[in-house]
């Protein structure tokens, strides 16, 4: 940071826990989450907001956290992949991805999970077209997407039967 | 050994109700913390199975739990007896109930007595263990007795079968199903500055979506078995990719890269960069040239004379060529400082095409004096004679396989630490051990000074072999920075410039001889590969393709003049289907073009030419192990509904629509014979292949396995544990495979890695060999301990956990005890058993011979997996956009070890092929500017553009692997073949012959408008 940079205090709640930090105004939200808070489940796969590996949920909206500055998230409530597991128990969506082989290397998976969670929150019974449309901003280079679609469908079914 | 515990708790339920639960074994037993299952022996006695264990040694123990005393409503007393780990235990627990304040005070006592060997397992640790387990029992008892639990029980009675599962459902439901209301959400404090861009009128919608997220997040959770061993960490955000590794005190490296494709470096000024606060140091090419040796070149002279350092020294050779490294306290400071570095260039003429490179008018590497890195002729059979006797000769002027990349989502990255003891640690995402052989000589260090390790890798697809120059540079940076860790994480834009793309290939002057039936008898062609600015792993690609020389076809007479050049484009690296994929595409194009010219349908011409006997020795001595192309074609036709599509195609054509059907047959050759590298350079000291695995019973008897691969999503932990578990008669939960690679595990060889579709053969053979070895050791020990004959022993799980036992009896010895004999109790062993370590290493070596270098003849790979794809594509005649209407894949990779993983690999390989065929290309302009400099330009295939794949498989076991499996991870890129074929078929009445592997709308438009077409002719006699 250059000497003249002023730090800005921000407060965010991430996965239910409140954090107060002083950040550079230029710090990206994804860098804040990864490097400042040490929550490295959210990944960076490109520089142009194309890949979606950094997708998180901010105040109920899915966002690519490389497109927001940390200071823009001041006062917000954030959910990252680390917030899906509760007390050591996996969310049905996480289980569905594993059981349907919806991940291989796992690098895109956190973003996929967050986008899928938001999809299912809005639409408990999505058809394949809905899934394709909603996940079009998340790139996976391993699975060819077939099993990601299957995973989301399986999660939807399991959540509906809940 | 005796242990006593006691305590009391109060519960808000009448004493009678508490007693009712406590005095019912059927209700009490499931409260045991590790309860597994139970059966009621009689009214008072339950036989229950519980899991008992210390650390990793977990056994299922049968306990007989009897209600010995029941004095309503005052007292209940249970006695539990069981066997565990070659010992016996008894637990007496009693409960005395007193009425207090409308509730009940439960006073409890537990006495545990242990006899036998279990005591020696953990000794004093057992008291703590037992206390913890008893506390858990009491806690679950308290929870079960709570009024809420009782209420929930009544409510849920109709819904669930078991009492215990109802309880679990309720316990989980109580706090998890609570919906966070807006009032609970903390608002931003009034005086804090908010940069959030949300307009006030969106607040209601926002609250609704927040509630929806909270609601779904709080869904019920039920434990289920996961798909792969790797998954848990990856779905919870606990994976450890290179950038996730953040050791304290880490510094960050940012690179200054060339904006020009070809230029002399006149001067570099780093003074302003070094003056910026937070900058530790900089490194320039000049310094690198002084401190390091140029990287080893694989090719023979003159390409061996190329001087390749980790930074450009006096000349840049592609856009993005790194010139200066800036090391700073944060990545932002490093990036700021990199912008302050001033470089003066003098631009040079640029070489972009193979044709220009071959002219050598502008030479990239002066010491080599030529752009040609390799040239050789592959000649088999009697080509001239076959052409003389041919009925038809098809001539194809030029075919071109384009540059693209599988673009793993995680880019190249490394954290390097060159500490003051001169040890170099690389936490990185390279994918084989070859980089050690590149880095150690460059840095003038011994290979054992280098620790190379990986953890999770975010895909690689071959590309990350090209990471070693950056690893070398980061190590130098760490040394210069005083031994602190230096992290470098390539940005996506850097990757698009220089991160290692698949190479391009041109096929010139192809001539194909065919007999009267359309059977190809000979082929003549000249192939030129373009490997970018630095050869690095090349020119190995100049021989790798020869693994599949005749592709899937019977032709015996082949003459291919193969060469490779450097150009002013980013350096290439192996890319999924490395070198074979361009050749397979070429051969499939040849097949379809010949079919087109001679009027033979695509399926028919293949049936006339397919190899139909296995094992089959190709003209250059490769042995195709097994397969059945005809069966695959029939199956693929069935899967896609061939006849129906043929009908639909007629109809579409009648309507003026361009609908085409294309077949792609491909091979995925796996397990390299490294001796093929000597065909490139006879001085290379490489031959065959070796892969190592280690297995041990750890100090507590847990089964610990290391594989010497660098998995990136292929599920090696899962499949390796399957092999071990099957041999030992265990569940895979008992087998622990270390994540990633680490030279310090001493489980590698010089050719270890994840490449060339080989794990199912080499990796699993190594694991299998290791488990066989350790079984022999375990048998010897068990025979001694049990006073039994080795031949009378079997492996399995008993009441004491994983064990070796006398066949058909419960006389056994568990893994803990075996390990204990070796690790702690050596004196108990007779002299001849003291050598046993229960820590074994096995090296698998495939049965390869050295090839005949003169004739370029020999077996280059061990196994050949096959895929057959059929694509149905419609081309829009207004936009020339192709749409995949249907897609079928039949895969044959021999014996399938794990269907789920194999299908995942098939899908992934298909996605790369479809992406490359339809959208992905790395173009350059004539100045050598990278035109796809980001993902936004490159646009890797998305879920929206990916068609549904209809998959099936055939299984022809390989005779050359112990398990009948064939490596299959690379897939062979069949969509490139099938899409080119289908589009050619779609545009049949426009006279289009597809000559490029890339088929985006601009290309198709140019075919139709005759700008792209090069001559194809046929001579018939």
């Amino acid at each position: 940071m250059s000497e003249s940079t002023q730090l800005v205090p921000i407060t965010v709640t991430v996965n239910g826990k409140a954090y107060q930090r002083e950040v550079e105004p230029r710090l990206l939200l994804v860098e804040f989450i990864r490097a400042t808070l040490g929550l490295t489940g959210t990944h960076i796969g490109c520089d142009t907001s194309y890949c979606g590996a950094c997708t998180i949920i901010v105040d109920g909206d899915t966002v690519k956290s490389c497109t927001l500055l940390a200071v823009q998230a001041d006062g917000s409530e954030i959910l990252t992949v680390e917030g899906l597991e509760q007390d050591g128990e996996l969310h049905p969506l996480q289980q569905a991805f594993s059981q349907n082989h919806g991940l291989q290397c796992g690098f895109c998976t956190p973003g996929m999970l967050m986008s899928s969670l938001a999809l299912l929150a809005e639409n408990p019974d999505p058809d394949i077209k809905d899934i394709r449309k909603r996940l079009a901003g998340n790139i996976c280079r391993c699975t060819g997407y077939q099993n990601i679609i299957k995973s989301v469908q399986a999660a939807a079914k399991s959540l509906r039967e809940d | 050994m005796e242990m006593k515990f006691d305590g009391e708790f109060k519960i808000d339920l009448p004493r009678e109700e508490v007693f009712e639960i406590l005095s019912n074994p059927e209700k009490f037993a499931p409260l045991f913390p590790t309860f597994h299952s139970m059966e009621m022996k009689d009214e008072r006695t339950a036989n229950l199975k519980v899991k008992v264990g210390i650390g990793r040694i977990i056994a299922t123990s049968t306990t007989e739990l009897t209600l010995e005393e029941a004095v309503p409503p005052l007292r209940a007393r249970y006695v539990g007896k069981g066997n565990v780990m070659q010992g016996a235990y008894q637990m007496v627990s009693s409960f005395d109930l007193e009425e207090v304040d409308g509730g009940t005070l439960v006073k409890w006592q537990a006495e545990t007595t242990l006899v036998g060997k279990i005591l020696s397992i953990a000794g004093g640790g057992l008291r703590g263990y037992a206390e913890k387990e008893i506390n858990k029992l009491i806690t679950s008892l308290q929870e079960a007795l709570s009024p809420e639990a009782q209420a929930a029980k009544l409510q849920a009675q109709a819904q669930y079968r078991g009492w215990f599962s109802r309880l679990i459902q309720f316990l989980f439901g109580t706090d998890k199903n609570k919906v966070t209301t807006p009032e609970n959400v903390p608002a931003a404090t009034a005086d804090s500055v908010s940069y959030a861009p949300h307009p006030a009128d969106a607040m209601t919608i926002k609250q609704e979506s927040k509630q929806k997220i909270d609601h779904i997040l709080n869904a019920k959770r039920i434990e289920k078995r996961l798909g792969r061993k790797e998954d848990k960490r990856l779905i919870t955000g606990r994976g450890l990719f290179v950038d996730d590794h953040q050791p304290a005190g880490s510094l960050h490296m940012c690179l200054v890269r060339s904006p020009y494709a070809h230029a002399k470096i006149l001067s570099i000024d780093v003074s302003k960069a070094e003056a910026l606060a937070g900058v530790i140091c900089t490194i320039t090419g000049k310094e690198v040239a002084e401190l390091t040796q140029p990287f080893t070149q694989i090719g023979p002279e003159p390409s061996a004379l190329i001087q390749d350092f980790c930074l450009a020294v006096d000349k840049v050779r592609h856009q993005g060529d790194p010139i200066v490294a800036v090391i700073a306290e944060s990545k932002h400071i490093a990036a700021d400082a990199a912008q302050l570095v001033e470089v003066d260039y003098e631009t040079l003429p640029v070489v972009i095409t193979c044709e220009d490179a071959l002219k050598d008018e502008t030479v990239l590497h002066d010491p080599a004096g030529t752009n040609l890195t390799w040239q050789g002729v592959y000649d088999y059979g009697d080509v001239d004679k076959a052409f003389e006797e041919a009925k038809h000769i098809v001539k194809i002027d030029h075919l071109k396989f384009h540059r693209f990349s599988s673009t793993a989502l995680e880019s190249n990255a490394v954290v390097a630490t060159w500490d003051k003891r001169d040890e170099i640690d690389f936490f990185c995402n390279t994918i084989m051990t070859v980089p050690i052989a590149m880095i150690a000589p460059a840095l003038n260090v011994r290979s054992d000074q280098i620790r190379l390790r990986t953890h999770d890798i975010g895909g690689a697809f071959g590309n990350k072999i090209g990471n070693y120059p950056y690893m070398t540079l980061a190590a130098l940076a760490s040394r210069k920075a005083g031994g602190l860790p230096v992290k470098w994480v390539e940005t996506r834009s850097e990757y698009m410039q220089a991160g290692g793309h698949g190479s391009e290939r041109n096929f010139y002057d192809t001539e194909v001889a065919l007999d009267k039936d359309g059977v190809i008898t000979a082929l003549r062609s000249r192939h030129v590969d373009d490997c970018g600015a630095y050869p690095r792993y090349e020119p190995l690609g100049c021989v790798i393709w020869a693994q599949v020389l005749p592709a899937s076809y019977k032709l015996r007479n082949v003459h291919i003049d193969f060469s490779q050049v450097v150009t002013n484009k980013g350096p290439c690296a192996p890319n999924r289907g490395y070198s074979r994929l361009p050749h397979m595409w070429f051969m499939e194009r040849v097949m379809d073009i010949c079919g087109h010219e001679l009027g033979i349908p695509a399926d028919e011409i293949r049936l006339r030419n397919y190899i139909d006997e296995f094992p089959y020795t190709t003209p250059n001595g490769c042995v195709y192990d097994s397969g059945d192309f005809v069966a695959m074609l029939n199956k693929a036709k069935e899967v896609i509904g061939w006849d129906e599509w043929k009908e639909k195609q007629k109809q579409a054509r009648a309507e003026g629509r361009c609908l085409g059907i294309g077949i792609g047959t491909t091979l995925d050759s796996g397990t390299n014979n490294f001796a093929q590298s000597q065909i490139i350079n006879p001085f290379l000291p490489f031959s065959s292949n070796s892969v190592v695995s280690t297995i041990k019973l750890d100090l507590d008897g847990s089964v610990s396995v290391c594989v010497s691969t660098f998995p990136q999503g292929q599920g090696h932990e899962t499949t390796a544990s399957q092999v071990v578990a099957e041999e030992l008669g265990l569940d895979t939960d008992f087998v622990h495979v270390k994540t990633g690679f680490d030279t310090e595990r001493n489980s590698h060889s010089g050719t270890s890695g994840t490449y060339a579709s080989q794990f199912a053969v080499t990796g699993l053979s190594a694991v299998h060999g290791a488990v066989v070895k350790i079984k022999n050791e375990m048998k010897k020990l068990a025979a001694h301990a049990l006073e039994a004959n080795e031949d009378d022993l079997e492996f399995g799980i008993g009441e004491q956990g994983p064990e070796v036992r006398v066949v058909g009896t419960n006389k056994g010895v568990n893994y803990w005890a075996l390990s204990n004999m070796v690790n702690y109790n050596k004196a108990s062993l007779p002299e001849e058993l003291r050598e046993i370590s229960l820590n074994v290493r096995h090296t698998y070596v495939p049965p390869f011979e050295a090839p005949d270098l003169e004739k370029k003849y020999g077996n280059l790979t061990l196994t050949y997996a096959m895929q057959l794809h059929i694509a149905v594509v419609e081309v829009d005649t207004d936009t020339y956009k192709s749409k995949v209407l249907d897609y079928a894949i039949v895969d044959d990779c021999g014996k399938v070890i794990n269907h789920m993983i194999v299908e995942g690999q098939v899908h992934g390989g298909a996605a790369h092929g479809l992406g490359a065929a339809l959208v992905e290309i790395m173009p350059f302009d004539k100045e050598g500017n990278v035109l796809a400099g980001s993902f936004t330009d490159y646009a890797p295939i998305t879920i929206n553009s990916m068609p549904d794949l209809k998959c099936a498989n055939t299984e022809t076991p390989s005779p050359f692997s112990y398990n009948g499996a064939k490596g299959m991870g690379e897939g062979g890129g069949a969509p490139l073949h099938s899409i080119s074929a289908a589009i050619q078929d779609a545009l049949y009445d426009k006279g289009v012959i597809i000559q490029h592997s890339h088929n985006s709308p601009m290309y198709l438009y140019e075919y139709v408008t005759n700008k792209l077409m090069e001559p194809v002719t046929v001579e018939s006699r």
Side-chain angles (χ1 to χ4, degrees), chain B residues 467-490:
Chain B
N467 195 7
Y468 68 86
Y470 300 110
M471 293 162 65
T472 308
L473 184 57
L476 286 176
S478 169
R479 185 171 64 175
K480 191 166 181 181
L484 289 171
V486 170
K487 179 185 274 191
W488 176 72
V489 179
E490 184 184 51

Side-chain angles (χ1 to χ4, degrees), chain B residues 880 990-993 995 1002-1015:
Chain B
Y880 289 96
K990 300 188 188 319
V992 169
I993 300 285
Q995 295 169 359
M1002 188 187 80
Y1003 277 71
L1004 301 194
Y1005 176 73
E1006 296 205 340
Y1007 282 121
V1008 175
T1009 53
N1010 263 326
K1011 285 178 203 148
L1012 206 59
M1013 289 280 286
E1014 291 182 69

Side-chain angles (χ1 to χ4, degrees), chain B residues 764-922:
Chain B
L764 294 184
S765 293
V767 170
H768 183 253
V771 72
V772 166
K773 276 184 184 168
I774 203 167
K775 274 177 78 176
N776 285 335
E777 290 197 353
M778 291 161 77
K779 269 190 178 178
K780 285 197 175 90
L781 291 169
H784 166 71
L786 300 169
E787 295 175 339
N789 193 320
E790 277 182 48
D791 297 337
D792 297 336
L793 298 176
E794 65 176 5
F795 289 76
I797 301 183
E799 288 203 339
Q800 312 154 15
E803 66 178 8
V804 185
R805 63 176 168 250
V806 177
V807 177
T809 70
N810 61 1
K811 192 180 160 196
V813 52
N814 74 356
Y815 286 13
W816 171 82
L818 291 174
S819 169
N820 191 66
M821 287 183 220
V822 168
N823 288 303
Y824 295 106
N825 207 359
K826 279 277 197 216
S828 72
L829 294 176
E831 193 65 35
E832 69 273 14
L833 295 183
R834 289 182 187 174
E835 284 287 306
I836 287 178
S837 64
L838 294 179
N839 184 351
V840 305
R841 185 178 198 267
H842 181 76
T843 305
Y844 167 74
V845 181
F848 285 128
E849 304 292 331
D852 180 333
L853 301 183
E854 195 63 34
K855 293 182 179 157
K856 299 187 175 68
Y857 186 93
N859 194 14
L860 308 183
T861 30
L862 193 68
T863 62
Y864 287 83
M866 289 143 184
Q867 284 189 21
L868 197 142
H869 293 210
I870 299 180
V872 181
V873 176
E874 181 164 0
V875 179
D876 181 311
T877 45
D878 290 327
T879 62
Y880 289 96
K881 193 173 182 322
S882 307
K883 188 174 182 201
V884 178
L885 302 181
D886 208 352
Y887 205 92
I889 301 177
V890 175
D891 169 65
D892 184 348
C893 62
K895 180 91 178 70
V896 176
I897 307 295
N898 184 314
H899 277 280
M900 184 183 83
I901 289 176
V902 162
E903 198 173 74
Q905 292 293 314
V906 170
H907 293 163
H912 288 179
L914 284 160
L918 294 168
V919 284
E920 299 174 31
I921 184 166
M922 300 271 192

Side-chain angles (χ1 to χ4, degrees), chain B residues 409-428:
Chain B
L409 207 49
E410 183 203 30
S411 55
N412 290 301
V414 60
V415 179
T417 313
W418 191 333
D419 69 22
K420 289 178 177 166
R421 292 172 303 281
D422 251 358
E423 303 270 326
I424 307 171
D425 176 50
F426 291 111
F427 189 95
C428 63

